[in-house]
Amino acid sequence: MRIAIYPGTFDPITNGHLDILERALRLFDKVVITIARNSAKNPLFSEKERLEMIRRSVRTLKGVEVDSFDGLLVEYARKKKAVAVVRGLRAISDFEYELQMALMNRKLDEDFVTVFLMPNEKYTYLNSSIVREIARHDGDVKDFVPPHVLEKLTEKMHEGKARSKGTKR
Ligand code: ADP
């Protein structure tokens, strides 16, 4: 069984993430899509909400496990008996950071393999922070996320606005 790990923040999961996941499923028997708990980031959605959105998004896909982890990716990959870690490359701007991470992880564990996949070009300019930003300004993000994620985003933006109105009074 060839297992791969697909780590990220997924705040929220987008069609770009799902494009990469589906490509990875063609190469591996199982892909573990996993939320990296990162104290440096302050996500809009809680871990529980992000896990729920991922689970709903992958319901029709075979060979996917949904998880989250703390600590070093190399340790987690070893624990999961993964043969590779999958990352998406959108543009040259992703490359420098991804190269640094891939080489550092290989330094920590020489068996660590990173596989880079490129999404359909329509997703090359897409990331979760742009989606959050557009949604915050009531822009239309329906082409970028699954319908149930769109619903959660709309709810979250209304909650945020109601809260800030409450504090102004
Ligand atoms: P973000 O989506 O904010 O860039 P994530 O940490 O959630 O950040 O991304 C997890 C992985 O998915 C990374 O390898 C990232 O490059 C990749 N990824 C994210 N969005 C896309 C996209 N639109 N197309 C391809 N890969 C993507």
Side-chain angles (χ1 to χ4, degrees), residues 53-154:
M53 285 186 276
I54 297 174
R55 284 206 184 97
R56 272 193 81 173
S57 307
V58 305
R59 258 203 315 229
T60 56
L61 301 174
K62 283 212 174 71
V64 182
E65 180 185 325
V66 181
D67 195 20
S68 52
F69 76 102
D70 285 307
L72 286 179
L73 181 59
V74 286
E75 296 295 340
Y76 178 76
R78 218 178 276 147
K79 197 180 91 193
K80 287 285 182 185
K81 300 188 170 31
V83 295
V85 165
V86 170
R87 298 287 290 171
L89 270 190
R90 284 159 287 196
I92 296 174
S93 52
D94 280 340
F95 182 75
E96 202 167 336
Y97 173 75
E98 292 294 344
L99 177 73
Q100 186 185 17
M101 291 297 287
L103 294 180
M104 182 49 87
N105 282 327
R106 200 159 68 189
K107 173 88 184 136
L108 294 173
D109 177 350
E110 62 182 30
D111 295 329
F112 192 98
V113 173
T114 308
V115 171
F116 294 104
L117 296 172
M118 274 160 274
N120 185 308
E121 58 272 18
K122 66 184 180 204
Y123 299 132
T124 51
Y125 55 88
L126 176 60
N127 67 30
S128 300
S129 66
I130 291 183
V131 166
R132 293 194 303 271
E133 201 51 33
I134 299 172
R136 192 169 286 135
H137 295 101
D138 299 320
D140 186 359
V141 293
K142 75 171 181 324
D143 290 344
F144 308 133
V145 293
H148 63 94
V149 173
L150 180 65
E151 252 170 57
K152 291 285 289 180
L153 261 169
T154 313

Side-chain angles (χ1 to χ4, degrees), residues 1-8 10 13 17-35 54 58 61-67 76 80-87 115 117:
M1 176 105 148
R2 297 179 74 76
I3 301 171
I5 307 286
Y6 181 29
F10 307 108
I13 188 163
H17 292 126
L18 290 167
D19 175 293
I20 296 294
L21 179 66
E22 285 176 30
R23 284 172 207 279
L25 286 168
R26 293 188 214 153
L27 301 174
F28 300 98
D29 301 308
K30 182 167 123 183
V31 178
V32 183
I33 177 166
T34 185
I35 293 179
I54 297 174
V58 305
L61 301 174
K62 283 212 174 71
V64 182
E65 180 185 325
V66 181
D67 195 20
Y76 178 76
K80 287 285 182 185
K81 300 188 170 31
V83 295
V85 165
V86 170
R87 298 287 290 171
V115 171
L117 296 172

